Amino acid sequence: MSIEQKEKELSVYESMAARYDVAARQLGLDEGLSNYLRTPNREISVHIPVEMDGGTLRVFDGFRVQHSIARGPCKGGLRYAPTVTLDEIRGLAAEMTWKCAVVNIPFGGAKGGIICDPSQLSAGELERITRRYTAEIFEYLGPERDVPAPDMNTNEQTMAWIMDTFSMHMRRTVTASVTGKPLDLGGSLGRREATGRGCMITADEALKRFRWQRDSTRVIVQGFGNVGSQAARLMYEAGYKIIGVGDISGGLFNTSGINIPRLLEYVEKHKTIKGFDGGDSIGTQEILEQECEILLPAATESVITSKNAHLVKAKLLVEGANSPTTAPADAILFERGVFVIPDILANAGGVTVSYFEWVQDRQGYFWPEDVVNDRLKQIMVSAFDGVVGYGEKHKVNNRIAAYMLAIDRVASCIRVRGIYA
Ligand code: NAD
């Protein structure tokens, strides 16, 4: 494979576009509309000056891509990482549009990112980066325009800083300007666990189809941050057998099962799974290739590629992360009979409870946790049935079915709204 082909395979945007093209063709979408939907509405690049703790001035590059507002305001996470690129953010923004449409919530898609290494920055520096970024894109944000949420290396604190900065500019407190906030600032009960819970709900639905039992279902989770650790905890509590866990420092493997509550306590203290004594250590990529029923990648993108897809032994792939599988790997997994619950369905629990948070903020009326969880379950089960049923009816795999369902919903809104001249 040439370097160019390899880069193309690993590009999040290219993976999204390849699947989009297949789905749009299957739907018979006309060329003009298809091109429109494939392209983001707006791409904002900012260069943020930030005073560092030592007194020097540094400039950080950041992006916000707003892919679509056809079905409602833009919605999407904000990530901080040295590897952030505009191409990645562009692909993830489009995926957000499809994800919101798959679970049928009234949002379009967006994504943001700042090129920085949070492990090398103090809390004060991160706060100043976040506030200046928010101020730079202020006029494009807001409950009716674009609502950010946490993603890789951003959290409730980051959202609190964005909400406060936005509110200072508006001269009033606007809690619905972000989701994934702390509870005291208008966050929703159940939001922290929502993405992991959504992964489990979809896995449960697949188990029903296969007539598998939870206690004999072995699960491997790559990534032990917000999504991975919550999915592992909830699945452990529900009776699944978690035999492998990985994070950036490496993997842990134990065929008798890993004690997840004990691992969570360890990670709380040490900030890594490295050194935990409840399993054998294994490479973080190697963990994807072990014998299991469910593989749940919940770390980062492009970890299952044309190079290792044939080594995946799981029967069910639940994509907790965004874009963990590259487009060329899809065909290999399909040939091997792996049942894929694609990212835009499996990890949609997060944006669904973000939607609930936005609704609660606008109502000023907050729901008990069991109401949040019940409504999440209703939406996830209905989306799972919708995608799998659509795939069976149209004889396409689950990923293409999810894209087709989503593109069709967005396209119908555009047809009815028309194109403003
Ligand atoms: P996080 O920063 O909380 O955790 C990321 C985890 O992945 C950490 O344990 C980290 O050590 C590990 N990791 C990072 N790079 C790795 C690598 N190369 N190999 C192995 N492990 C690695 O992030 P998160 O919020 O849990 O998000 C994880 C993924 O889920 C991302 O793709 C994100 O876009 C997606 N996602 C998150 C949410 C959400 O609600 N947080 C919702 C939908 C999708």
Side-chain angles (χ1 to χ4, degrees), residues 79-130:
R79 58 171 54 182
Y80 291 174
T83 50
V84 163
T85 62
L86 178 56
D87 175 89
E88 167 191 280
I89 300 300
R90 189 184 283 141
L92 292 168
E95 279 211 340
M96 283 306 296
T97 302
W98 315 135
K99 190 183 300 185
C100 293
V102 164
V103 283
N104 216 353
I105 58 176
F107 286 130
K111 200 81 177 186
I114 300 180
I115 305 173
C116 65
D117 182 354
S119 68
Q120 303 299 312
L121 296 163
S122 70
E125 288 165 343
L126 279 170
E127 178 174 351
R128 292 193 289 281
I129 291 173
T130 305

Side-chain angles (χ1 to χ4, degrees), residues 241-316:
K241 194 168 175 187
I242 317 294
I243 59 162
V245 168
D247 72 4
I248 190 103
S249 69
L252 272 176
F253 192 64
N254 184 344
T255 49
S256 314
I258 297 171
N259 184 327
I260 299 295
R262 212 160 68 74
L263 178 60
L264 281 164
E265 272 174 33
Y266 182 89
V267 171
E268 174 79 29
K269 209 161 146 200
H270 301 274
K271 308 289 170 222
T272 168
I273 65 169
K274 202 183 170 89
F276 181 67
D277 62 6
D280 299 327
S281 58
I282 181 173
T284 194
Q285 276 296 105
E286 221 182 306
I287 204 155
L288 304 171
E289 299 160 13
Q290 304 306 307
E291 201 71 61
C292 64
E293 276 70 42
I294 300 184
L295 179 61
L296 203 161
T300 188
E301 52 272 353
S302 308
V303 292
I304 302 172
T305 66
S306 56
K307 282 252 162 62
N308 65 353
H310 62 287
L311 299 172
V312 168
K313 298 187 187 64
K315 296 168 188 72
L316 177 56

